Amino acid sequence: MTDIMTTTDITGESDSAKNVLYRAELVLDGNSYTLVVWDLVRGTLRKTGVPRRTVEKLPAYLSMLNLQHMDE
């Protein structure tokens, strides 16, 4: 991966200004996907495999989150 975006890149503000609680990455390694979640409050890291079908549905899931946010 060459283009890694940080919270600062996206929002123009540092992580400390935004009180980031979690960070998540979806990693493709060969033919398998792994979700990596950092709990920045507790200082823990968790990883789990993610089925390809779920990954393919992510744009729809993210779209639903965006619509919920816009309707508030």
Side-chain angles (χ1 to χ4, degrees), residues 2 14 34 36 39 66 69:
T2 56
S14 70
T34 303
V36 181
D39 181 332
N66 189 33
H69 177 70

Side-chain angles (χ1 to χ4, degrees), residues 10-62:
I10 296 167
T11 65
E13 297 181 33
S14 70
D15 291 347
S16 60
K18 289 298 226 177
N19 293 321
V20 175
L21 304 177
Y22 296 93
R23 284 194 186 273
E25 292 183 1
L26 183 61
V27 179
L28 173 61
D29 185 18
N31 286 330
S32 63
Y33 294 93
T34 303
L35 178 64
V36 181
V37 179
W38 289 271
D39 181 332
L40 301 175
V41 175
R42 293 177 184 85
T44 58
L45 174 72
R46 291 186 176 205
K47 296 195 273 184
T48 188
V50 180
R52 177 180 293 277
R53 286 181 20 196
T54 302
V55 172
E56 291 169 352
K57 293 178 183 178
L58 274 176
Y61 295 146
L62 294 174

